[in-house]
Amino acid sequence: MVVLKRILFVVGLPAVLFAGWFFLSEGSESFYSPPLRTILTAFGDTWKPDRLLADVVPSLLRLFAGFLLASLIGIALGVAIGLNRNLRAVMEPVLEFFRAIPPPVLVPVIMLFAGIGDGMKVIVIVFGCVWPVLLNTVEGVRAVDSVVLDTARAYGLTGPARLTRVILPSASPRIAAGLRQALSIAIILMVISEMFASSNGLGFTIVQFQRSFAIPEMWSGIILLGLLGFALSLLFRLAERRALRWYEGLRAAQRRAG
Amino acid sequence: MLEVKGLRKVYSSGNREVEALRDLTFTVDNGDLVCLVGPSGCGKTTLLRCISGLLTPTGGSVKVNGNAVTGPPPGMAVVFQEYGRSLFPWASVWDNVELPLKQKKVPKARRTQLVEEALDAVGLTGTGKAYPWQLSGGMQQRVAIARAVAYEPETLLMDEPFAAVDAQTRADLEDLVRSLWQRLKVTVLFVTHDIDEAVYLGRRVVMLSSSPTVVQDELVVDLPAERDQLHTRADPKFVALRTRVYEQIQLAKKGAAVQK
Amino acid sequence: MLEVKGLRKVYSSGNREVEALRDLTFTVDNGDLVCLVGPSGCGKTTLLRCISGLLTPTGGSVKVNGNAVTGPPPGMAVVFQEYGRSLFPWASVWDNVELPLKQKKVPKARRTQLVEEALDAVGLTGTGKAYPWQLSGGMQQRVAIARAVAYEPETLLMDEPFAAVDAQTRADLEDLVRSLWQRLKVTVLFVTHDIDEAVYLGRRVVMLSSSPTVVQDELVVDLPAERDQLHTRADPKFVALRTRVYEQIQLAKKGAAVQK
Amino acid sequence: MTTAHRGNPVLLGSAGLAGLLLIVELLPRLGLVNERYLPPTSRIAAALADEAATATFWQSLGDTLYAWAIGLLIAVVAGVLAGLVIGSVPVLRALTASTVEFLRPIPSVALIPLAVLLYGTELGSTLILVCYAAFWQVLVQVLYGVADVDPVAEETARSYRFSTWGRVRHVLWPTALPYVFTGVRLAASVALVLAVTAELVIGAPGLGKEIATAQNSDAVATMYALIVVTGALGVVINLLTRTGERRLLAWHQSIRGEVAV
Amino acid sequence: GSDKGSGDSGGSSGGVDNVTVGVIPIIDVAPIYLGQSKGFFKTRNIELKMEAGQGGAAIVPGVVSNQFQFGFSNLTSLMIAQTKNVPIKAVAAGVSTTGVQGKDFGAVVVKGASPIKTAKDLAGKKISVNTLKNIGDTVTRESVRVAGGDPSKIEFVEMPFPNMPAALDKGDIDAAWVVEPQLSTIKAAGGREVASTFVDTDPKLTIAAYFTSQKLLADKPDLVKRFTEAMNESLTYADAHPDEVRQILSTYTKIDDKARAQVVLPKWPTEINKASVQKLAELGTTDGIFASAPDLDKLLP
Ligand SMILES: Nc1ncnc2c1ncn2[C@@H]1O[C@H](COP(=O)(O)OP(=O)(O)OP(=O)(O)O)[C@@H](O)[C@H]1O
Ligand SMILES: Nc1ncnc2c1ncn2[C@@H]1O[C@H](COP(=O)(O)OP(=O)(O)OP(=O)(O)O)[C@@H](O)[C@H]1O
Ligand SMILES: [Mg+2]
Ligand SMILES: [Mg+2]
């Protein structure tokens, strides 16, 4: 019963939206917004196993590499900046400067240093999705409860232990918020990076469809992207649930009212 | 030995400036048990935080065994008044108590023993797996006490540690502190707002005036070392001492009222 | 009238299941002042949260003036045990006290008067502009009390409201609660772990057993309505009553020990 | 508490930027990178000066800022409202979670044909993309912020019978505010990034179009000059949000930790 | 999609038609800017406005939805669109090769020191094009084929033209298929041209065209006719006045003065060379760019 309800919650709204799209687009004559029926047919025809293997797998590998690197860099840098006021003052304008530069125009510069291979694409992904992790980590670290910090100091929890036992757990809800945002940005940047100097990948394929006016196929690619994002976020949610059980409990215990 | 000399602390945040401590001087010998009483808001917590090196004083000095305190000195355990916020919500009760021991590099077996004993001592046997936020207020406070006890400190600072527990548990915990102090020879500085408790527990009681704070009076509790809840509290000497403390505190409050 | 009938509350969070309240039944007449005592962790806070409609009981019912409680009933004010977290850190002391009045649509002038009076009553004149986190623990607790007082509730629930204040202030606040109760005819349900306080304050004392919790005993405090700190506490009747409560609580604890 | 010496943040920040400029000056000068692809700071500065003398530049800057500001405003308002509503109604949250996760990773760039279809290269196209991308940033942050409300604070409000609006205004909002600020800061730069990217790809007037033109024309120094302008915009925007944050969040741990003591 | 948002562009006020044209801001479209400044459109009651797009991705949908009335695109893209039944039609020639070996505005270039000497050597090498499966790989393959190499082994990678000089310089790619002004940039840095791909394909190759939607053609045939006339006049004028072309470049590109004086300008004949387009179509079909053979009668005027 509970499981059923949960499933209903998950698929309810998407089902309604898709049904709405299906019926509204049924008679569509517009070249660029074909009926959903056509798109779904194209979806079946396009995303066969070999295609998935050839395009989705490389994309995912880049995505994971980029996301992982961005998480590591974001958290490490974020903790350092969050803990040190002077470092924050020095770095903030520089970071803000880079943050405001659109990845597409930075590609030439990145290509300069990293060539045109997967390295470049991973760097583009890192470059784009490190920011939410970084910002959230900084804020999370700065917001650690003062009594908690005092307790840690008083009991000699210093150095690495302070970091892993106090700062990171305390900031983890915010870090999770950042990671989650980074994940979807990573997907977006995966697509953008594959628009440049690429010969495979989901992004490349979607752009290729778009350029070759295979519009139903393009839409099917966008849907696949959405599904991918959804699946990844589900995975992330599971991991988050595990890691932040204390936090959810803390909040829910008193809220759910038993 | 713990020496506090001319301690002064002014909080200034933006528009507000509060002189929490004006000029505090007193010493606590090694192995002594000193209770600190004073009206609410007089600066007891502030003083404790200065002593534990968590707060930099505006003036004066704090020395532990002759060394000026700049950060938390080793071998010191603190029980914070904000017990709820002082426990780590992401760690279970057991982990909360064990963590400082890990940090102290106590071997695993000994750690388990210490944690178990400490939880038993405060009456929390079997709650190790719960998270702090699954406990009642008084239980949380006892976890904080267990953490300090398990740490086996040389100096123990406690800030109103029994505020949230019931009378019976409180009595038990008072006896726990005394036995701990006698057994392990720890130096204890105990902040409380309960005058009876101060007199019952302490070998000395330091009374603080209300803000701006100085030491109003000091008094040696010349009750026998063996105390128990029933007889000691009935002792006429006890009653006399508690009355004296009470009067001093009344005076402190009046003084403040006049100053205003 | 406040009726609690067969109240049961089981906390279940994942692996842990705690029966905080087993079967509680008692009533509080309108305009009565009832003190609740019981060992730490016996479920006093849980009970209060059920009565205030913040927690849904697992079984049984709570009725206020005949209406089943499903959410916070109107005209009820609660002082939480976690006073520190119950104050809004983003609002000044003044705003913290004033906000509920604004929600109640009290006119501006009256609001100012109420807030001022309440802050005076708890001895916090002039701290209106400070933020809660700039205050000492006891001061924070008094802000929470001032907020409830200014609200002019019909029913006042207080959960160990004086735990963090010094003896003198505590005595003052006790008298404040009694005078408030006599003047405004509010119904007061007062949780405390201090037996003397319960007897001094209450017209009735309800004693809870330790977990799983039932009503252990109930007792009418037949002391004169006019009480004062010096004489009442010295009254032999007072001493007899407090001894009786003490014994009952001891019993409650033993019972729990036996059950285990 | 911390004994570390505290420098003047403005001075330190400027030092950081100066360091960056110096590195960019030195990299090509020392021959570490070819200066045809990354010209030294001085040449970029010269190109910037040239650009600043043209009316087109200021016109483009204005266009970009206009699209950015409008897009951000819409995204923030929509994101905050949606976040507060969805976040505080558990059923809504459960219902929308999957849809949000589905829509969020769809890149704005994939929507370009749709945007052009609807609005051509007018402001509207840029706005769609900007709003779409920035909206999620705010929404997600607000959702997390709403989830962070202290139960005791929430119960206090409930017990004093705060109206729904009162609870939103006095409890939910202050708690979520730090998150909103992070969201706005994220959204502000994402909006800028998207405004420029949209101009770059669709060709709507603005800095992005100028960058594209410079790129196509092989005017490397000019391209970098324009990139620097976008970066500088980012710095300015951050400065503004930070100032706002410091004002509105003086009570928050992250700020008060710095001011007090 | 709907046509609601078309606003006043495309509308007519006082007999004057407001026309928006989607173009790519490169040398190829100089004639339309020149024609605008010369008033060739105004005299035909057309108020012209140019919108810059980064390529077909933005321009074709714009034309189909009538956000743009006309657009500029290369013929391979237009033929792809045609095979997918996108309702568009070419209305005027866009740009053509100079037809001179070694002096065209687009070519395959290598580093000065590269072992690649002729087009034949390109077989099996890594060559960059701006768009995969488009005109770039078609004509490059043809150059290799003509030179006697095996075009099937070429590895094409996609990158924007502006990035090619650096990529070539770093050795990320063996050769680059580029157009002006990057062609001049690379040559000036010591690069060497190994194939004039457009010329190799057809010395009279029409590379791009202006097009409109079938709908506009049906609704406002007169406007389309006037546009074609004005366009043709502009093309002729531009072809005859290279100095003015170099001048007008400064208004919509940022090519610096020195480069502007040096770049090789393309040819701007008014006629779309049908035979050359046919060849492009066949080559593309062979290479698998088109799903089915394009129907040129439907596409070309
Ligand atoms: N959120 C929760 N999740 C699980 N168990 C809980 C939760 N809150 C309270 N409990 C348990 O319920 C029991 C009663 O708790 P409660 O806070 O009501 O006690 P109390 O009488 O107020 O104690 P104290 O005087 O120490 O504040 C305790 O055993 C506690 O561990
Ligand atoms: N962070 C702070 N910023 C500004 N003022 C503060 C701060 N902390 C404490 N104060 C002020 O310093 C004074 C002393 O506070 P302190 O917490 O030391 O009192 P206390 O003796 O512990 O009181 P209690 O018994 O109520 O806990 C109070 O007037 C309080 O308002
Ligand atoms: Mg204190
Ligand atoms: Mg309680």
Side-chain angles (χ1 to χ4, degrees):
Chain A
M1 199 45 218
V2 176
V3 175
L4 204 74
K5 197 169 151 198
R6 186 168 291 171
I7 291 178
L8 211 71
F9 271 146
V10 170
V11 298
L13 188 58
V16 170
L17 289 179
F18 263 92
W21 182 8
F22 192 92
F23 289 113
L24 286 179
S25 69
E26 193 49 31
S28 169
E29 302 260 304
S30 165
F31 183 77
Y32 278 92
S33 48
L36 182 57
R37 185 196 299 277
T38 320
I39 296 173
L40 290 181
T41 317
F43 191 97
D45 294 342
T46 310
W47 303 106
K48 299 249 166 65
D50 53 333
R51 182 108 196 201
L52 288 176
L53 205 69
D55 281 322
V56 179
V57 171
S59 287
L60 282 181
L61 289 178
R62 288 173 203 141
L63 177 78
F64 283 131
F67 179 65
L68 215 68
L69 260 175
S71 311
L72 290 179
I73 296 174
I75 294 175
L77 208 60
V79 169
I81 291 177
L83 288 179
N84 188 322
R85 200 168 171 275
N86 287 340
L87 185 63
R88 181 158 66 248
V90 174
M91 293 296 286
E92 198 168 280
V94 177
L95 292 175
E96 290 305 325
F97 179 84
F98 280 111
R99 198 156 71 86
I101 298 175
V105 304
L106 256 190
V107 168
V109 184
I110 294 177
M111 270 164 81
L112 211 61
F113 294 100
I116 57 172
D118 286 340
M120 180 275 281
K121 290 166 197 107
V122 170
I123 291 178
V124 171
I125 294 176
V126 170
F127 190 87
C129 73
V130 75
W131 307 115
V133 186
L134 183 75
L135 279 188
N136 274 289
T137 308
V138 170
E139 299 306 319
V141 167
R142 286 170 68 195
V144 180
D145 192 300
S146 56
V147 180
V148 161
L149 282 180
D150 282 352
T151 307
R153 275 186 78 199
Y155 283 103
L157 283 164
T158 49
R162 182 171 118 100
L163 192 66
T164 56
R165 301 296 191 138
V166 181
I167 307 272
L168 284 179
S170 177
S172 55
R174 291 215 65 162
I175 296 180
L179 286 176
R180 196 185 232 276
Q181 245 166 324
L183 186 61
S184 47
I185 295 184
I187 299 176
I188 293 174
L189 282 168
M190 170 192 93
V191 174
I192 291 185
S193 74
E194 286 170 354
M195 291 166 66
F196 300 94
S198 189
S199 48
N200 64 3
L202 191 52
F204 169 78
T205 314
I206 290 176
V207 171
Q208 202 58 40
F209 283 144
Q210 185 181 323
R211 278 195 201 133
S212 56
F213 306 98
I215 301 306
E217 284 81 358
M218 177 193 89
W219 280 111
S220 81
I222 292 178
I223 292 179
L224 181 68
L225 212 57
L227 288 176
L228 198 72
F230 177 60
L232 287 176
S233 101
L234 220 61
L235 279 179
F236 183 83
R237 189 90 196 100
L238 280 179
E240 190 188 14
R241 276 246 167 86
R242 283 205 83 110
L244 293 185
R245 224 183 32 212
W246 65 269
Y247 180 72
E248 310 229 331
L250 174 67
R251 294 301 181 217
Q254 288 145 311
R255 187 183 308 265
R256 224 189 295 118
Chain B
M1 202 170 72
L2 177 69
E3 293 172 284
V4 176
K5 208 178 273 172
L7 198 67
R8 177 161 189 266
K9 175 72 200 177
V10 180
Y11 287 104
S12 53
S13 46
N15 42 352
R16 242 175 78 99
E17 202 160 278
V18 180
E19 189 180 16
L21 303 176
R22 173 160 289 178
D23 180 17
L24 277 187
T25 306
F26 68 91
T27 57
V28 181
D29 289 330
N30 280 343
D32 204 351
L33 200 175
V34 175
C35 288
L36 263 172
V37 292
S40 173
C42 75
K44 301 181 294 295
T45 300
T46 306
L47 170 61
L48 233 60
R49 284 159 52 89
C50 286
I51 293 175
S52 60
L54 294 170
L55 203 61
T56 319
T58 314
S61 70
V62 177
K63 283 186 186 167
V64 172
N65 296 326
N67 304 318
V69 167
T70 52
M76 181 182 277
V78 186
V79 177
F80 290 87
Q81 185 176 13
E82 296 107 324
Y83 55 91
R85 285 165 62 199
S86 148
L87 298 176
F88 303 147
W90 50 86
S92 66
V93 166
W94 185 279
D95 291 346
N96 261 292
V97 179
E98 192 186 20
L99 204 54
L101 301 178
K102 271 197 186 152
Q103 199 54 28
K104 225 175 145 190
K105 306 232 186 311
V106 177
K108 170 91 187 149
R110 174 92 183 113
R111 236 158 47 203
T112 312
Q113 190 198 350
L114 280 170
V115 176
E116 242 164 30
E117 280 175 13
L119 286 179
D120 283 358
V122 299
L124 285 179
T125 321
T127 49
K129 276 203 190 124
Y131 284 101
W133 37 268
Q134 291 178 324
L135 304 180
S136 76
M139 290 159 93
Q140 288 177 19
Q141 198 164 34
R142 283 182 276 156
V143 175
I145 296 169
R147 177 164 63 184
V149 168
Y151 196 63
E152 300 195 309
E154 292 160 30
T155 316
L156 180 56
L157 308 183
M158 302 178 101
D159 195 356
E160 309 196 4
F162 307 149
V165 298
D166 62 292
Q168 177 58 41
T169 312
R170 186 172 194 139
D172 294 348
L173 290 174
E174 282 167 7
D175 292 336
L176 173 71
V177 168
R178 277 202 63 92
S179 79
L180 215 69
W181 167 66
Q182 283 170 327
R183 191 156 49 87
L184 300 178
K185 308 267 173 274
V186 287
T187 315
V188 181
L189 190 61
F190 191 101
V191 169
T192 177
H193 52 251
D194 185 332
I195 296 167
D196 291 55
E197 183 168 85
V199 175
Y200 177 76
L201 267 186
R203 250 178 37 88
R204 270 168 60 215
V205 176
V206 173
M207 285 155 273
L208 301 182
S209 75
S210 66
S211 198
T213 309
V214 294
V215 174
Q216 171 94 9
D217 194 8
E218 247 193 86
L219 146 144
V220 175
V221 181
D222 45 0
L223 294 168
E226 282 307 313
R227 303 182 188 178
D228 73 65
Q229 296 283 350
L230 257 155
H231 299 100
T232 307
R233 284 186 197 256
D235 192 333
K237 217 184 226 168
F238 177 89
V239 178
L241 283 167
R242 93 166 282 292
T243 310
R244 171 146 168 231
V245 176
Y246 191 78
E247 281 166 5
Q248 284 300 331
I249 297 221
Q250 292 290 81
L251 224 76
K253 283 216 151 172
K254 289 233 185 65
V258 170
Q259 276 184 350
K260 269 179 202 161
Chain C
M1 203 167 74
L2 177 69
E3 293 170 285
V4 176
K5 208 179 273 173
L7 198 68
R8 178 160 188 265
K9 174 72 200 178
V10 179
Y11 288 104
S12 53
S13 44
N15 43 351
R16 242 175 78 99
E17 202 160 277
V18 180
E19 188 181 17
L21 303 175
R22 173 161 288 179
D23 179 17
L24 277 187
T25 307
F26 67 92
T27 55
V28 181
D29 289 330
N30 280 343
D32 205 350
L33 201 173
V34 174
C35 288
L36 263 172
V37 293
S40 174
C42 75
K44 302 181 294 294
T45 300
T46 307
L47 171 61
L48 234 59
R49 283 156 51 91
C50 286
I51 293 176
S52 58
L54 293 170
L55 203 62
T56 319
T58 315
S61 70
V62 177
K63 284 188 186 164
V64 172
N65 295 327
N67 304 318
V69 168
T70 51
M76 182 183 274
V78 185
V79 177
F80 290 86
Q81 186 176 12
E82 295 110 323
Y83 54 90
R85 285 166 58 202
S86 148
L87 298 176
F88 302 139
W90 48 82
S92 66
V93 166
W94 184 279
D95 290 345
N96 261 292
V97 179
E98 192 187 20
L99 213 51
L101 300 178
K102 269 194 188 158
Q103 288 295 318
K104 222 177 147 189
K105 307 232 186 313
V106 177
K108 172 89 186 149
R110 175 90 182 116
R111 237 158 46 205
T112 313
Q113 191 198 347
L114 281 170
V115 175
E116 243 163 30
E117 279 174 13
L119 287 178
D120 283 359
V122 298
L124 286 179
T125 322
T127 48
K129 277 204 188 124
Y131 282 101
W133 38 270
Q134 292 177 325
L135 302 182
S136 78
M139 290 159 94
Q140 288 177 20
Q141 198 164 34
R142 285 182 274 154
V143 176
I145 297 169
R147 178 163 64 183
V149 168
Y151 194 64
E152 299 196 311
E154 290 159 31
T155 316
L156 180 57
L157 307 182
M158 303 179 100
D159 195 356
E160 310 196 2
F162 308 149
V165 298
D166 61 294
Q168 177 57 42
T169 311
R170 185 171 193 138
D172 295 347
L173 290 175
E174 283 166 6
D175 293 336
L176 172 70
V177 168
R178 278 201 62 91
S179 80
L180 215 67
W181 167 66
Q182 283 169 325
R183 192 156 49 85
L184 299 179
K185 309 268 172 271
V186 285
T187 315
V188 181
L189 190 61
F190 191 101
V191 169
T192 177
H193 50 252
D194 185 332
I195 296 166
D196 291 54
E197 184 168 84
V199 175
Y200 177 75
L201 267 187
R203 249 177 40 89
R204 272 169 58 216
V205 177
V206 174
M207 285 154 273
L208 302 181
S209 74
S210 67
S211 197
T213 309
V214 294
V215 174
Q216 171 94 9
D217 193 9
E218 248 194 84
L219 150 141
V220 175
V221 180
D222 46 0
L223 293 168
E226 282 307 314
R227 304 182 187 176
D228 74 66
Q229 296 284 351
L230 258 155
H231 298 101
T232 307
R233 284 187 196 255
D235 190 332
K237 216 186 226 167
F238 177 90
V239 177
L241 283 167
R242 93 166 281 292
T243 310
R244 170 145 170 232
V245 176
Y246 191 79
E247 281 166 6
Q248 284 300 331
I249 297 219
Q250 293 289 80
L251 224 78
K253 284 215 151 171
K254 289 235 184 64
V258 169
Q259 276 184 348
K260 268 178 201 162
Chain D
M1 249 181 286
T2 33
T3 40
H5 172 74
R6 270 170 196 180
N8 179 338
V10 177
L11 228 63
L12 288 172
S14 314
L17 280 181
L20 178 67
L21 295 182
L22 192 69
I23 291 173
V24 174
E25 177 75 30
L26 288 182
L27 275 180
R29 290 256 183 254
L30 296 177
L32 292 173
V33 293
N34 192 324
E35 68 172 293
R36 265 192 299 133
Y37 314 130
L38 178 61
T41 310
S42 46
R43 286 242 323 271
I44 297 177
L48 184 58
D50 288 347
E51 277 298 303
T54 64
T56 339
F57 170 78
W58 294 106
Q59 178 65 39
S60 320
L61 186 64
D63 285 339
T64 300
L65 279 179
Y66 185 68
W68 169 80
I70 302 278
L72 182 65
L73 190 72
I74 298 174
V76 167
V77 171
V80 166
L81 286 182
L84 289 180
V85 171
I86 295 176
S88 45
V89 184
V91 177
L92 266 185
R93 186 159 196 180
L95 265 178
T96 52
S98 56
T99 311
V100 168
E101 290 313 324
F102 181 82
L103 291 176
R104 216 145 59 90
I106 294 179
S108 274
V109 279
L111 297 179
I112 283 175
L114 197 68
V116 174
L117 215 56
L118 291 174
Y119 292 104
T121 54
E122 305 291 316
L123 181 66
S125 301
T126 315
L127 276 187
I128 286 191
L129 302 184
V130 170
C131 289
Y132 187 83
F135 172 76
W136 302 114
Q137 306 285 327
V138 183
L139 179 71
V140 171
Q141 286 292 336
V142 176
L143 285 180
Y144 272 88
V146 171
D148 197 36
V149 170
D150 189 321
V152 179
E154 164 78 10
E155 285 182 348
T156 305
R158 276 179 60 203
S159 74
Y160 281 109
R161 293 182 59 81
F162 280 36
S163 60
T164 308
W165 167 244
R167 258 154 59 197
V168 169
R169 166 71 189 79
H170 295 297
V171 182
L172 216 58
W173 177 243
T175 308
L177 200 57
Y179 288 83
V180 171
F181 262 105
T182 310
V184 170
R185 287 177 59 206
L186 283 169
S189 48
V190 166
L192 188 61
V193 164
L194 255 294
V196 175
T197 306
E199 291 157 4
L200 195 78
V201 179
I202 302 178
L207 279 180
K209 180 179 155 190
E210 296 298 305
I211 292 178
T213 311
Q215 241 170 8
N216 281 329
S217 310
D218 245 12
V220 181
T222 311
M223 179 188 83
Y224 278 104
L226 292 167
I227 292 178
V228 167
V229 173
T230 40
L233 276 184
V235 176
V236 171
I237 288 167
N238 180 58
L239 226 59
L240 291 180
T241 48
R242 271 274 186 243
T243 313
E245 195 177 50
R246 215 158 275 145
R247 290 221 159 162
L248 289 169
L249 294 184
W251 55 272
H252 193 255
Q253 179 74 47
S254 58
I255 311 282
R256 88 168 101 119
E258 292 177 356
V259 190
V261 191
Chain E
S2 72
D3 290 340
K4 263 194 309 210
S6 53
D8 58 3
S9 55
S12 48
S13 53
V16 177
D17 286 292
N18 288 310
V19 163
T20 309
V21 185
V23 295
I24 310 169
I26 49 176
I27 298 173
D28 304 26
V29 296
I32 197 168
Y33 282 94
L34 195 55
Q36 184 188 31
S37 79
K38 288 282 158 200
F40 298 156
F41 290 88
K42 204 160 258 162
T43 55
R44 292 177 175 85
N45 277 335
I46 294 175
E47 189 54 58
L48 204 56
K49 186 172 152 223
M50 254 68 82
E51 292 280 4
Q54 274 291 65
I59 296 176
V60 176
V63 169
V64 170
S65 67
N66 203 33
Q67 296 289 345
F68 306 143
Q69 282 66 53
F70 299 94
F72 175 87
S73 171
N74 82 54
L75 275 158
T76 302
S77 289
L78 290 180
M79 286 189 286
I80 298 173
Q82 197 280 316
T83 59
K84 297 282 178 176
N85 294 317
V86 184
I88 51 172
K89 193 155 182 91
V91 294
V95 65
S96 299
T97 168
T98 59
V100 185
Q101 279 288 351
K103 267 209 152 48
D104 202 359
F105 73 102
V108 172
V109 287
V110 296
K111 262 213 276 211
S114 168
I116 299 168
K117 301 291 178 214
T118 66
K120 194 177 174 212
D121 302 335
L122 289 172
K125 293 290 188 282
K126 200 180 200 176
I127 307 177
S128 67
V129 289
N130 67 330
T131 316
L132 279 179
K133 297 205 172 185
N134 209 295
I135 194 163
D137 31 2
T138 305
V139 296
T140 305
R141 279 205 190 87
E142 179 61 7
S143 283
V144 176
R145 203 175 282 132
V146 168
D150 178 5
S152 65
K153 290 216 184 63
I154 302 173
E155 184 193 344
F156 286 105
V157 292
E158 179 174 315
M159 70 172 65
F161 287 129
N163 292 347
M164 290 185 188
L168 193 63
D169 197 40
K170 280 190 66 194
D172 288 338
I173 47 175
D174 300 312
W177 178 78
V178 286
V179 296
E180 292 290 6
Q182 281 80 17
L183 180 56
S184 294
T185 309
I186 292 175
K187 281 183 174 170
R192 189 151 46 73
E193 182 172 329
V194 289
S196 298
T197 52
F198 293 138
V199 191
D200 288 343
T201 304
D202 190 319
K204 287 203 169 341
L205 182 67
T206 305
I207 294 152
Y210 292 89
F211 64 100
T212 188
S213 66
Q214 303 272 14
K215 188 165 179 298
L216 190 79
L217 192 63
D219 291 352
K220 295 187 175 173
D222 175 57
L223 170 63
V224 175
K225 191 163 152 272
R226 277 182 284 140
F227 178 82
T228 307
E229 281 170 17
M231 205 56 242
N232 286 347
E233 187 178 358
S234 307
L235 291 169
T236 313
Y237 188 87
D239 222 17
H241 300 86
D243 290 340
E244 287 186 43
V245 168
R246 288 181 202 278
Q247 201 52 49
I248 198 91
L249 285 179
S250 66
T251 62
Y252 71 96
T253 74
K254 295 190 189 299
I255 303 175
D256 63 36
D257 298 344
K258 210 169 103 218
R260 247 188 314 125
Q262 281 173 356
V263 291
V264 175
L265 294 180
K267 282 269 166 228
W268 284 294
T270 56
E271 177 214 12
I272 299 178
N273 188 306
K274 210 162 176 180
S276 72
V277 178
Q278 184 61 45
K279 181 152 188 211
L280 208 54
E282 282 159 15
L283 291 174
T285 313
T286 319
D287 292 342
I289 289 174
F290 307 120
S292 56
D295 185 345
L296 292 189
D297 291 337
K298 278 194 182 154
L299 178 66
L300 301 184

